[in-house]
Amino acid sequence: IPVSAVLLETQPQGGQVLAGERLVLVCSVAEGTGDTTFFWHREDTGESVGSKRQRSRRAELEIPAVGESHAGRYYCTADNGHGLARSGALNVTVTVPVSRPVLTLSTPGARAVEGQRATLHCQARRGSPCILYQFYHGDVPLRSSSAPSAGGASFSVTLTAEHSGTYSCTADNGFGPQRSDTKSLFVTVPASRPVLTLRTPRTRAVVGDVVELRCEAQRGSPPILYRFYHEDVTLGSSSAPSGGGASINLSLTAKHSGNYACEANNGLGAQHSEVVTLSVTVPASRPILTLRTPRTRAVVGDVVELRCEAQSGSPPIQYRFYHEDVTLGSSSAPSGGGASFNLSLTPERSGNYACEADNGLGAQRSEAVALGVTVPASRPVLTLRAPGAQAFPGDVVELRCEAQSGSPPIQYRFYHEDVSLGNSLAPSGGGASFNLSLTPEHSGNYACEADNGLGAQRSEAVPLSISGLTGSRSGSVATGVAGGLLSVVGLAVLAQLLYYRLPRRAGGRPTSDPSRSPSDSDPQEPTYYNVPGWMELQPVYSNVNPKEGDVVYSEVRTIQEGNRHAAAPNSTLRLLQTHLPSHGPAASQQRLSRPQGSSVIYSQVKVAPLPASAAPRS
Ligand SMILES: *[C@@H]1O[C@H](CO)[C@@H](O)[C@H](O)[C@H]1NC(C)=O
Ligand SMILES: *[C@@H]1O[C@H](CO)[C@@H](O)[C@H](O)[C@H]1NC(C)=O
Ligand SMILES: *[C@@H]1O[C@H](CO)[C@@H](O)[C@H](O)[C@H]1NC(C)=O
């Protein structure tokens, strides 16, 4: 009986087997006699798997089922010498459990940087499809992915700081998940643009202050290296090993004004802050005060320029000027430098000057500068003092010259008829005197000059007549005579009008030469010299105008008297006297008595009838 109805079966049934399990291919025939040869084939590859000959209608072949390579379509044939019969094909599948997957993290560079795309890849070397891959960040499942083929699964992310941490994945194809090793990922955050802040102890940054420069990037993975710049020159650097900002301290000098910036760098590119400008205020230094006068000496009326200047100090600087601690004024230097103040000098402006410079950081005061204001000598007043009411040859008359104002030292010069008699210095001001021992030649006009270097001032002329007689020294003419005497009229009443003429030749005849009288040339001039210091001038000498018609002159002769009048021997005097007995106490003084037996001839002087116009002069 030929073989028929060949059938292929598997153990286990259905052709499904786990890798490594026993797989038996059972080939059987329904009919057939004798010895039968069984063959097993793989249809998809055409290879022969094995054969067996036995007197049986059923044969078994065990084949290895290690991997998927053994999966395929199988069939068998049988032959007992009466014709070959074939079975249908049977699918054999070998299922492989997934192996432990491997997780790989890939980034574009060596470091994982925020913003980059990173890829996580999970792959099991072995394992039959379908494999389900699952990614984990720490313990948190991220995303699952089913891979129909053997390529594994991938997962891409754009990195943020939050993506730092540990990663793992699992693979599962139905026989229990397999977990990969854990991988760490550190996402580096580039430093953000830092902010620079300057902290000063007070509102203004002043030389000597310590200013703290703080640089801080809001974001950025540590460690961050901070660098500080002043006008592009590195001041220093400081590292923040665990993030945050960094500081450096700077002790300010005047050179530290300018622009500051800082830089943050954690290896992913330096970031620069915006520029911060710092202005360092320099306190005003002690100022120097200079006084500029138009000439060597400071003279009343001059304008002196006070210049105050601090060598250093940030503008604006306010300058104040002081005279003896009294503020004179102030002046501002808005852009630095010094300031000036002009002062018109008066005598009271002598003394110490100082100035202050102040730019808000404490006023600095200069050293004091002394200024002496020179007052020009005023027109001096010349007074003549004689021992008695009249001046006689041999008397010592004191010429006193005094300028009411004028800075010392004042040089006084005395003149007789424009001929210098001598000098006298008043080193500490006041007046000066000059003593003159009279000779007959000393009649005439006297004047004096006061000079303290600013132009000589000349007094008015004071005339002196010298009597040939020795006058009474018992009293002085003007003693006790008060202000009424100051007027020309009053003076005139009391005046002794003397006219003295010395003969040119000894023993010669009396001569009369009225033209030599100093006042001759100007009959209109007052006879008396009106000076403020007149009250002190006891004897009043006056020249006389012999031509005046309202007085009566008498001629007086002296007799030779030997040594009593050595200064004027053989002199002939012409005494001219106006006598007005009715006029008060002075009237009694109008005697020209000379005691001590002088050989003088007195003559009465009479008052002539006065024309009205000439009354004051009588
Ligand atoms: C800078 O000075 C401040 C105040 O004196 C101080 O607190 C800070 O520690 C200093 N910083 C540095 C870096 O020296
Ligand atoms: C002071 O006077 C000088 C000279 O006349 C003049 O140059 C200067 O400008 C004046 N200064 C002030 C502040 O008035
Ligand atoms: C001038 O004489 C008077 C009186 O004799 C005397 O007091 C005075 O000191 C003298 N002055 C001078 C400068 O000699």
Side-chain angles (χ1 to χ4, degrees):
I1 298 169
V3 295
S4 62
V6 181
L7 179 66
L8 179 65
E9 291 168 305
T10 61
Q11 288 179 352
Q13 288 187 342
Q16 294 204 357
V17 66
L18 265 181
E21 275 183 346
R22 225 174 134 250
L23 175 62
V24 179
L25 300 175
V26 180
C27 194
S28 61
V29 295
E31 292 180 336
T33 55
D35 289 347
T36 303
T37 305
F38 294 90
F39 298 92
W40 287 269
H41 296 275
R42 195 166 160 178
E43 189 184 60
D44 52 337
T45 60
E47 63 186 307
S48 173
V49 179
S51 63
K52 276 185 180 174
R53 181 180 174 87
Q54 59 190 74
R55 186 175 293 266
S56 166
R57 294 203 293 266
R58 188 175 183 273
E60 293 182 2
L61 177 72
E62 185 177 336
I63 61 165
V66 178
E68 288 172 330
S69 59
H70 296 111
R73 281 178 74 82
Y74 290 83
Y75 68 92
C76 66
T77 57
D79 186 6
N80 59 357
H82 303 288
L84 182 97
R86 185 183 185 268
S87 74
L90 177 75
N91 260 336
V92 170
T93 57
V94 179
T95 304
V96 181
V98 77
S99 64
R100 192 175 185 190
V102 173
L103 175 68
T104 51
L105 294 173
S106 55
T107 53
R111 298 164 74 180
V113 177
E114 184 188 51
Q116 291 177 344
R117 270 190 91 73
T119 302
L120 290 80
H121 185 72
C122 191
Q123 184 170 14
R125 290 267 305 281
R126 291 177 289 109
S128 299
C130 263
I131 304 174
L132 181 69
Y133 288 102
Q134 173 75 53
F135 294 92
Y136 292 89
H137 179 209
D139 293 330
V140 179
L142 289 175
R143 178 187 287 193
S144 58
S145 164
S146 180
S149 62
S154 289
F155 172 45
S156 286
V157 287
T158 300
L159 292 176
T160 66
E162 291 71 40
H163 286 125
S164 289
T166 56
Y167 287 86
S168 62
C169 69
T170 57
D172 187 4
N173 60 351
F175 301 95
Q178 294 284 330
R179 183 174 285 268
S180 72
D181 281 338
T182 300
K183 283 277 166 64
S184 288
L185 178 70
F186 181 73
V187 179
T188 305
V189 179
S192 63
R193 188 173 197 186
V195 172
L196 174 66
T197 47
L198 269 52
R199 290 184 202 165
T200 52
R202 39 186 158 173
T203 325
R204 297 162 84 183
V206 180
V207 163
D209 285 354
V210 173
V211 64
E212 184 181 0
L213 285 77
R214 178 158 187 82
C215 191
E216 183 161 5
Q218 283 299 306
R219 303 185 69 245
S221 303
I224 303 181
L225 182 66
Y226 288 98
R227 273 197 195 83
F228 296 86
Y229 296 93
H230 173 229
E231 303 288 0
D232 296 332
V233 176
T234 307
L235 288 171
S237 59
S238 181
S239 180
S242 54
S247 302
I248 64 165
N249 282 349
L250 199 61
S251 183
L252 292 180
T253 68
K255 293 175 183 163
H256 281 127
S257 285
N259 290 330
Y260 287 82
C262 72
E263 182 187 283
N265 193 351
N266 60 354
L268 297 170
Q271 294 286 325
H272 285 86
S273 73
E274 285 188 25
V275 165
V276 177
T277 302
L278 179 71
S279 162
V280 180
T281 307
V282 180
S285 64
R286 188 175 193 185
I288 291 173
L289 176 67
T290 47
L291 304 184
R292 288 185 203 164
T293 51
R295 39 186 157 171
T296 326
R297 298 162 79 183
V299 179
V300 164
D302 284 354
V303 172
V304 63
E305 184 180 359
L306 285 76
R307 178 154 186 84
C308 191
E309 183 160 6
Q311 282 301 304
S312 60
S314 302
I317 303 181
Q318 179 80 19
Y319 288 99
R320 273 185 290 277
F321 296 88
Y322 294 94
H323 173 234
E324 301 289 358
D325 294 330
V326 176
T327 309
L328 291 170
S330 61
S331 182
S332 180
S335 54
S340 296
F341 184 81
N342 282 352
L343 191 66
S344 183
L345 291 180
T346 63
E348 297 77 36
R349 294 296 191 195
S350 284
N352 285 328
Y353 287 82
C355 70
E356 271 180 7
D358 189 357
N359 63 353
L361 299 169
Q364 293 286 325
R365 198 180 179 99
S366 74
E367 286 188 25
V369 177
L371 178 72
V373 180
T374 306
V375 180
S378 62
R379 187 174 193 185
V381 170
L382 175 65
T383 53
L384 308 184
R385 289 173 207 231
Q390 292 172 291
F392 295 93
D395 283 352
V396 173
V397 67
E398 184 182 357
L399 287 74
R400 179 156 184 84
C401 189
E402 184 161 4
Q404 282 300 306
S405 61
S407 302
I410 304 180
Q411 178 82 34
Y412 287 99
R413 277 185 288 276
F414 296 88
Y415 294 94
H416 174 231
E417 300 293 355
D418 291 334
V419 176
S420 175
L421 291 170
N423 298 334
S424 184
L425 186 71
S428 52
S433 296
F434 182 81
N435 283 352
L436 187 65
S437 185
L438 292 181
T439 66
E441 286 85 2
H442 280 133
S443 274
N445 279 332
Y446 287 82
C448 71
E449 271 180 8
D451 189 358
N452 63 351
L454 298 169
Q457 294 286 327
R458 198 179 180 100
S459 73
E460 287 188 32
V462 178
L464 174 68
S465 291
I466 298 176
S467 166
L469 301 173
T470 305
S472 169
R473 308 196 182 224
S474 59
S476 40
V477 172
T479 302
V481 178
L485 299 179
L486 291 173
S487 75
V488 171
V489 173
L491 289 173
V493 167
L494 287 181
Q496 296 178 339
L497 306 176
L498 302 172
Y499 184 73
Y500 171 79
R501 171 73 35 165
L502 197 67
R504 291 294 95 196
R505 298 184 309 263
R509 292 174 298 134
T511 56
S512 178
D513 186 2
S515 67
R516 290 199 49 169
S517 170
S519 301
D520 252 3
S521 55
D522 186 9
Q524 300 301 324
E525 203 153 66
T527 310
Y528 303 99
Y529 187 50
N530 184 10
V531 294
W534 193 86
M535 291 299 292
E536 300 169 11
L537 184 63
Q538 295 179 355
V540 177
Y541 300 100
S542 174
N543 59 328
V544 159
N545 185 350
K547 289 177 183 170
E548 290 280 354
D550 52 358
V551 291
V552 175
Y553 298 99
S554 281
E555 186 170 83
V556 179
R557 289 177 184 269
T558 60
I559 294 172
Q560 181 76 41
E561 206 204 15
N563 60 355
R564 180 66 184 89
H565 283 285
N570 303 319
S571 56
T572 299
L573 299 177
R574 180 175 293 170
L575 172 64
L576 309 169
Q577 182 174 15
T578 304
H579 188 89
L580 295 174
S582 65
H583 190 86
S588 62
Q589 307 287 334
Q590 302 309 310
R591 294 168 293 113
L592 279 177
S593 61
R594 296 284 283 193
Q596 298 140 358
S598 344
S599 303
V600 183
I601 297 171
Y602 295 91
S603 176
Q604 285 293 110
V605 181
K606 301 200 176 191
V607 183
L610 297 175
S613 64
R617 312 183 113 247
S618 63

